[in-house]
Amino acid sequence: MTTNFNAVRVLPKRAKAHAHLVCVESVKGGFGDLTKADLANADFRGEAGQVMSYPQDGRMLALVGLGNQDSLTTTKLRNAGALIAKKFSHLAWIGADLQDVPQASARHLQALAEGISLGGYRFLAHKTKGKPSKLKRIDVASGSGSQSTAQEALNVGGVVARAQMLARDLINEPGGTLTAVEFANRGAEIGREGGLEVRVWDKDDIAEAGLGGLLGVNRGSTIPPRLLELTYVPTEQAQGSLTFVGKGIVFDAGGLSIKAAQPMMTMKYDMSGGAAVIAAMSALPELAPAKKVRALVPMTDNMLGGDATRPGDVLKIRNGKTIEVLNTDAEGRLILADALSLACEAKPDAIIDLATLTGACAIALGPKIAGLMGNNDEWIEAIRQASDRTDERVWQLPLPPDYVKQFESSVADMKNIGKPQGGAITAGLILKEFVDDTPWAHLDIAGPSWSDSDEDELAKGGSGFGVRLLIDLAKNFRAPNRSTSR
Ligand code: BES
Ligand code: ZN
Ligand code: ZN
């Protein structure tokens, strides 16, 4: 379901705002017909996250708090938008009034639109009696800036949120229906619809290209692997080239090093990196950044069929390096090794990969923050800034060279696991073996890709984390200095 946003100067009389966004300061002495005492009775002070419903002319209206004027953030507007979407999901059309918050700028409006769209998201593909949100159109009266700037910000927010919900749909689809073949087909369809160049590599293409990591992980499956390649070429002269890589394990059973029942339950989300990459690509033609962006998503499940990769087997990756597989559940790094090697061959200005790579990262940083690692400080800084602008939080972890000896192997160039401690870092260091001096960064999104609850703009299930950040990165991309990669 997509929501249409309409920036208006004033709301039509009959429609008058259903939702008034207010700051602490704007409700100090009451609000409209509501007296100070009415607000006090409802304990409504305009704090962020507070909502007060009240009837007027036979309709239920709501005051939505944003906190103090001088501490307005995009997160607060996104969360307020989600609250509005949840509160008014039974209506097809609402008016939202931001005129009491003149400090709200274009980026705040974009966040509001994102929140309203995302807050209405429900995954209903397999529910026979699912109730989708009815919200189709929102008229937003904003207090400041021109109407066209406001409209543009709302439109961008709508496009970004639509992409993020597309990622959620892919993630929430079970591993048995969204197989690697199906994932590639859907990704290709999404790419073609958006006007991207599309190439689907089948098993023969993958074997011919020597993608031994992807083939090795796929060996336990009856369903063949795929590698999806999408390319966005701007209509104007491209100012730089960027490659997105996403982990596309459609279901991670762990292979012969099988997972326990509990941690296996959510493993359909092990393709969240791939989903975020595909979804972000889908938004580029509409937003038209003047950069070339290529996406590579290796896809397979990690199963334990009769000819599955055995612990002790050695795989040869695209760049010629060999890996002894001692734990078949550390499979993400094996398929990413191939994809990163391939990505580097085309010499893009920078690479970023997104992967639900390690439980260790989720334990270290929790459910809302991704681990950020990489070989180039300038590129890492650009990702931090995109993170700040999009509120998709990241935290940098080091890649200490002296940890490399943890994954030395006696039979191959390396093994696929290190010591039990610092697992997010050893995984990052293994990936680093497959990039050259190309500025590269890795986001371990094992924590924030899944939500256990419906809080804020999230719905229980796949979150689509990374979509906003990737789109922002593409828009603001400037080639980092390659010679400073280390
Ligand atoms: N897909 C998992 C990582 C994961 C775990 C993501 C929990 C989300 C939640 C990955 O393939 C994996 O199993 N990693 C192992 C690595 C270990 C065997 C070195 C892990 O994290 O336990
Ligand atoms: Zn695994
Ligand atoms: Zn995995």
Side-chain angles (χ1 to χ4, degrees):
M1 163 81 64
T2 54
T3 323
N4 291 310
F5 294 94
N6 193 18
V8 292
R9 272 274 151 253
V10 280
L11 288 157
K13 260 220 175 77
R14 198 179 58 77
K16 283 261 183 58
H18 297 77
H20 280 284
L21 293 117
V22 291
C23 289
V24 170
E25 292 82 352
S26 45
V27 293
K28 276 241 160 79
F31 186 88
D33 295 341
L34 298 168
T35 63
K36 221 171 146 176
D38 291 333
L39 299 185
N41 281 338
D43 199 25
F44 183 85
R45 294 175 308 283
E47 301 289 355
Q50 283 194 318
V51 205
M52 174 184 169
S53 305
Y54 60 99
Q56 197 170 74
D57 304 333
R59 297 187 309 161
M60 226 14 162
L61 309 183
L63 284 185
V64 181
L66 288 171
N68 290 320
Q69 264 172 18
D70 54 8
S71 59
L72 198 66
T73 62
T74 45
T75 297
K76 286 178 188 168
L77 275 138
R78 197 176 294 103
N79 292 347
L83 269 175
I84 292 170
K86 286 173 190 178
K87 192 134 202 94
F88 294 104
S89 64
H90 57 292
L91 299 180
W93 174 34
I94 66 160
D97 190 354
L98 249 178
Q99 291 173 108
D100 286 288
V101 193
Q103 333 27 38
S105 64
R107 59 193 193 93
H108 293 112
L109 273 174
Q110 180 184 332
L112 176 71
E114 289 169 6
I116 293 175
S117 296
L118 294 169
Y121 177 82
R122 292 166 201 180
F123 181 64
L124 300 172
H126 301 281
K127 284 225 185 250
T128 54
K129 291 191 180 108
K131 284 206 181 77
S133 168
K134 292 203 175 112
L135 262 188
K136 279 218 173 65
R137 179 179 148 189
I138 326 265
D139 287 343
V140 181
S142 70
S144 60
S146 75
Q147 197 165 329
S148 61
T149 311
Q151 185 63 55
E152 171 67 11
L154 293 170
N155 289 350
V156 171
V159 169
V160 169
R162 204 185 312 144
Q164 190 169 345
M165 295 190 285
L166 177 63
R168 289 183 184 180
D169 279 345
L170 291 167
I171 298 165
N172 289 331
E173 193 60 47
T177 41
L178 194 89
T179 60
V181 171
E182 183 59 21
F183 191 19
N185 287 345
R186 295 223 352 216
E189 196 182 303
I190 290 164
R192 280 187 208 107
E193 274 170 14
L196 302 170
E197 286 172 19
V198 176
R199 181 179 169 199
V200 178
W201 301 43
D202 66 13
K203 191 171 182 176
D204 290 341
D205 300 325
I206 290 165
E208 202 171 310
L211 308 187
L214 182 53
L215 286 175
V217 174
N218 181 251
R219 218 166 134 170
S221 182
T222 53
I223 298 167
R226 291 285 185 263
L227 180 98
L228 177 69
E229 181 180 357
L230 301 173
T231 312
Y232 163 75
V233 184
T235 44
E236 317 163 51
Q237 173 75 31
Q239 290 152 12
S241 62
L242 175 59
T243 300
F244 297 160
V245 174
K247 174 175 172 181
I249 294 290
V250 292
F251 185 75
D252 185 8
L256 288 175
S257 315
I258 188 171
K259 284 187 186 294
Q262 185 70 33
M264 205 192 288
M265 283 183 193
T266 52
M267 276 301 130
K268 66 178 183 183
Y269 93 98
D270 213 17
M271 35 59 79
S272 295
V277 162
I278 293 168
M281 292 297 291
S282 80
L284 296 185
E286 246 174 301
L287 302 173
K291 336 281 153 110
K292 184 173 177 191
V293 189
R294 182 185 188 211
L296 292 173
V297 183
M299 302 169 169
T300 177
D301 42 12
N302 185 24
M303 303 295 277
L304 34 150
D307 193 32
T309 289
R310 296 103 173 128
D313 281 356
V314 174
L315 306 178
K316 190 178 210 119
I317 305 301
R318 164 81 184 181
N319 73 350
K321 291 191 184 178
T322 57
I323 310 186
E324 181 187 13
V325 180
L326 287 179
N327 188 320
T328 61
D329 197 11
E331 84 298 338
R333 56 202 80 184
L334 302 172
I335 68 167
L336 290 171
D338 278 327
L340 289 171
S341 304
L342 261 185
C344 286
E345 287 170 25
K347 294 273 171 224
D349 292 321
I351 299 174
I352 180 168
D353 78 70
L354 270 70
T356 47
L357 204 60
T358 66
C361 198
I363 288 178
L365 299 176
K368 300 286 177 86
I369 303 175
L372 168 62
M373 288 150 261
N375 64 357
N376 183 296
D377 290 341
E378 206 182 321
W379 182 222
I380 285 177
E381 183 51 30
I383 291 160
R384 273 218 203 85
Q385 288 175 11
S387 161
D388 283 346
R389 285 189 295 264
T390 56
D391 306 313
E392 294 197 306
R393 283 175 288 171
V394 301
W395 194 258
Q396 190 180 357
L397 300 175
L399 291 178
D402 55 325
Y403 282 23
V404 168
K405 56 178 170 295
Q406 285 188 29
F407 51 89
E408 277 172 6
S409 160
S410 45
V411 301
D413 296 340
M414 72 196 86
K415 54 185 186 182
N416 75 331
I417 49 169
K419 299 220 171 87
Q421 300 94 338
I425 292 172
T426 36
L429 281 168
I430 290 175
L431 296 185
K432 189 168 179 283
E433 296 290 321
F434 300 91
V435 287
D436 47 23
D437 63 346
T438 307
W440 154 79
H442 157 60
L443 277 186
D444 191 329
I445 57 173
S449 292
W450 186 262
S451 175
D452 281 328
S453 72
D454 288 341
E455 71 174 312
D456 297 333
E457 88 278 22
L458 299 169
K460 187 176 160 72
S463 66
F465 181 96
V467 172
R468 300 202 302 262
L469 188 144
L470 286 176
I471 293 173
D472 183 282
L473 256 188
K475 272 194 185 166
N476 294 294
F477 183 68
R478 283 188 51 224
N481 189 346
R482 176 179 287 267
S483 69
T484 57
S485 297
R486 57 191 160 77

